[in-house]
Amino acid sequence: MQQADPSSPSSTTGSTAVAPRSGLDRYFTISERGSTVGREIRGGLVTFFSMCYIVVLNPLIIGTVPDSTGMYLGGGTEPNLPAVAAGTALIAGLLSLFMGAWAKFPLALAAGLGLNAYLAYSVVPLPGMTWGGAMGMVLLEGVVILILVLTGFRRAVFNAVPPFLKTAIAVGIGLFIAFLGLFNAKFVTTAAGTPVQLGNDGSLTGWPTFVFVTGLLLMFVLWIRKVPGAILIAIVTATGLAMVIERVLHLGAFAPADEAGAGNPGGWAMNVPALTEFPIRLPDFATLFTVDPIGGITAAGVIGASVIVFSLLLADFFDTMGTMVGVASGAGLVEKDGDIPHSQRILVVDSVAAIAGGVGGVSSNTSFVESTSGVAEGARTGLAAVVVGTLFLLSTFLSPLVAMVPYEAATPALVMVGFLMMTQITDIDFTDVEVAVPAFLTIILMPFAYSITVGMGAGFVMYVLIRVVRGKAREVHWLMYLIALLFVVYFLRGAIEGFLL
């Protein structure tokens, strides 16, 4: 029998030779997952640009609120936003590298929205509570959730969730991030007479809106035409357009109009697309290692600290599960039995992220749903997360460049990903009431309540309730009863905290 010549494109028997795989390909199983190194890099770039806003937004949330002693995060009686930004980027970079290199999953991590707001507006105002003490609560939450992962409890919970609820979670996340993209770009805004409205006055006006619409339309056109890198091309093009417009018109940052007509409703949301300083800056890591768990327990008391840790844990616990399902579904990585490759490692990394966020002084870090934008660009492996992590580490030095990409240029990716995730709704049987009602609540409450956790909780509670009402209590996994009970406590946590604290 003749042997194929490895230097020839095909053997003499007519079979096609397989190109030798690189070590990078073998380590991340890139070919097995139907991807390429180029796609992984593009996916990582898209994910980074979709979530790099956290480097700016996290400091604005936790860096501008003094603790009960009048001190700001990073030390001092004045806000130290550069230090919070540098710490945010550093921890996000290290954790995303960890996720990509060890869990080999296209999921990036950073400081979690909602969790940081809870610390800023509910925890640090408590009498005697410092920012170090608040970060100590985050550290303790991370330790508890890591124990739950290592004992297999968190994975058991994941396996107990019915497949249709996992699909509903992915669809709900799609709606949530689409709304997030529309709202962050000011395509829809809050209004006096209605919860939201189109644009700033019920219509589309302003150059930033023009950039958003242009980027979104370009993204869909390129995607329909199957152009590789459609999402990244649209983001870069929209950013370039925004820079030209800002250079000519000097629109500045968005500010809502008041009753006197003052403000700047035609400005850019969050980031102004212009370089106002030298693009390289040495980072200030003043937030690192300021964590003080003993001080936090002393300030809140044992019961109060337990409530705080439980609230953080419950939100983090289920947000990550929903995000993991959404990313895996978009990447086609959910196996026939509903499992996800390396799910245990993914959960370990996410648990370590909470600990790292507390030690880094930048709030609990968690898996970011914006990773789905990179998946839509073709990312299927951990190499994409490694790219994201590398860019976050670089952004500790290049924060002026990160701040140059406006929401209006980046958020079209979230809208498009929302559409792609919504297509999975056809897998849900809405003719079965036991499926339809829990799935419906899961899907609509994520955007309507502006919380992935709330949507998941409503779906879980309703699933258990309907099964019990229809006489199928024994068919429900015992963990689903426990989850439903915990979610009931979560929904009532405000009343519980008011009673105990």
Side-chain angles (χ1 to χ4, degrees):
M1 182 176 178
Q2 289 183 311
Q3 300 294 320
D5 180 359
S7 65
S8 173
S10 63
S11 69
T12 57
T13 60
S15 61
T16 302
V18 177
R21 296 168 55 203
S22 66
L24 192 67
D25 190 325
R26 291 194 299 272
Y27 183 79
F28 288 105
T29 63
I30 296 174
S31 296
E32 284 91 333
R33 295 188 181 181
S35 185
T36 65
V37 172
R39 288 180 189 172
E40 296 301 310
I41 293 175
R42 286 200 307 269
L45 287 169
V46 168
T47 295
F48 174 75
F49 282 115
S50 295
M51 62 183 289
C52 65
Y53 66 83
I54 196 63
V55 177
V56 177
L57 191 55
N58 194 46
L60 293 179
I61 294 175
I62 64 175
T64 58
V65 178
D67 59 28
S68 65
T69 68
M71 301 296 287
Y72 287 85
L73 190 59
T77 57
E78 297 293 332
N80 188 0
L81 299 187
V84 181
T88 299
L90 174 67
I91 300 301
L94 293 176
L95 290 169
S96 295
L97 285 172
F98 187 23
M99 177 68 78
W102 189 59
K104 303 179 183 180
F105 195 66
L107 188 59
L109 302 93
L113 292 174
L115 296 171
N116 54 7
Y118 177 68
L119 289 179
Y121 304 119
S122 298
V123 178
V124 296
L126 294 174
M129 183 65 73
T130 65
W131 270 111
M135 293 302 166
M137 299 296 96
V138 173
L139 171 63
L140 292 177
E141 177 254 334
V143 171
V144 173
I145 205 168
L146 179 59
I147 292 173
L148 295 178
V149 170
L150 295 178
T151 57
F153 181 78
R154 197 176 186 184
R155 181 180 175 85
V157 170
F158 176 76
N159 291 334
V161 177
F164 83 86
L165 270 181
K166 293 178 182 178
T167 301
I169 289 168
V171 174
I173 290 175
L175 277 180
F176 175 78
I177 63 175
F179 179 73
L180 188 69
L182 293 171
F183 191 82
N184 285 344
K186 306 299 181 189
F187 188 84
V188 296
T189 62
T190 55
T194 59
V196 292
Q197 65 178 356
L198 180 65
N200 293 315
D201 57 3
S203 63
L204 297 179
T205 58
W207 286 105
T209 300
F210 172 75
V211 169
F212 171 80
V213 173
T214 300
L216 183 61
L217 293 178
L218 177 61
M219 196 172 293
F220 270 106
V221 168
L222 294 176
W223 176 77
I224 290 170
R225 297 291 299 175
K226 293 182 171 50
V227 176
I231 296 177
L232 181 59
I233 291 172
I235 291 175
V236 173
T237 301
T239 300
L241 177 61
M243 292 180 64
V244 172
I245 292 174
E246 175 61 22
R247 178 84 177 190
V248 174
L249 300 178
H250 306 289
L251 299 178
F254 170 86
D258 56 25
E259 295 180 357
N264 186 24
W268 303 98
M270 188 59 69
N271 295 339
V272 177
L275 272 177
T276 58
E277 58 182 297
F278 190 69
I280 300 176
R281 176 196 298 167
L282 289 176
D284 175 9
F285 296 126
T287 65
L288 269 64
F289 308 114
T290 57
V291 61
D292 181 17
I294 302 301
I297 295 174
T298 302
V302 175
I303 295 177
S306 299
V307 172
I308 293 171
V309 170
F310 177 76
S311 297
L312 290 169
L313 184 148
L314 203 56
D316 204 4
F317 191 104
F318 289 103
D319 262 355
T320 296
M321 190 175 74
T323 301
M324 183 174 70
V325 171
V327 171
S329 298
L333 297 178
V334 180
E335 298 173 350
K336 292 182 180 180
D337 59 359
D339 198 8
I340 294 172
H342 304 299
S343 58
Q344 179 71 359
R345 291 190 177 190
I346 295 169
L347 295 175
V348 168
V349 175
D350 186 82
S351 302
V352 171
I355 299 174
V359 174
V362 292
S363 181
S364 180
N365 275 232
T366 188
S367 302
F368 257 56
V369 71
E370 283 85 350
S371 301
T372 53
S373 62
V375 168
E377 188 58 47
R380 297 291 181 270
T381 77
L383 180 57
V386 169
V387 172
V388 176
T390 302
L391 292 174
F392 265 122
L393 293 181
L394 289 175
S395 71
T396 62
F397 297 92
L398 303 174
S399 55
L401 288 179
V402 174
M404 192 175 63
V405 181
Y407 268 165
E408 290 83 358
T411 53
L414 301 185
V415 178
M416 178 162 181
V417 171
F419 154 72
L420 295 175
M421 296 183 70
M422 267 291 296
T423 60
Q424 300 177 60
I425 199 170
T426 57
D427 296 331
I428 300 175
D429 183 9
F430 280 96
T431 64
D432 183 350
V433 67
E434 294 181 13
V435 171
V437 176
F440 171 72
L441 292 176
T442 299
I443 292 169
I444 67 166
L445 285 179
M446 286 189 187
F448 291 171
Y450 209 68
S451 169
I452 294 174
T453 301
V454 168
M456 294 176 64
F460 287 174
V461 172
M462 186 56 66
Y463 167 76
V464 172
L465 178 61
I466 292 178
R467 285 272 174 154
V468 171
V469 168
R470 301 192 77 183
K472 299 181 179 180
R474 293 185 178 180
E475 298 179 11
V476 179
H477 197 289
W478 70 269
L479 280 173
M480 292 299 292
Y481 285 108
L482 177 60
I483 295 170
L485 177 61
L486 291 175
F487 268 121
V488 170
V489 174
Y490 177 78
F491 291 143
L492 299 175
R493 71 189 187 283
I496 295 172
E497 289 176 2
F499 177 76
L500 296 177
L501 299 184

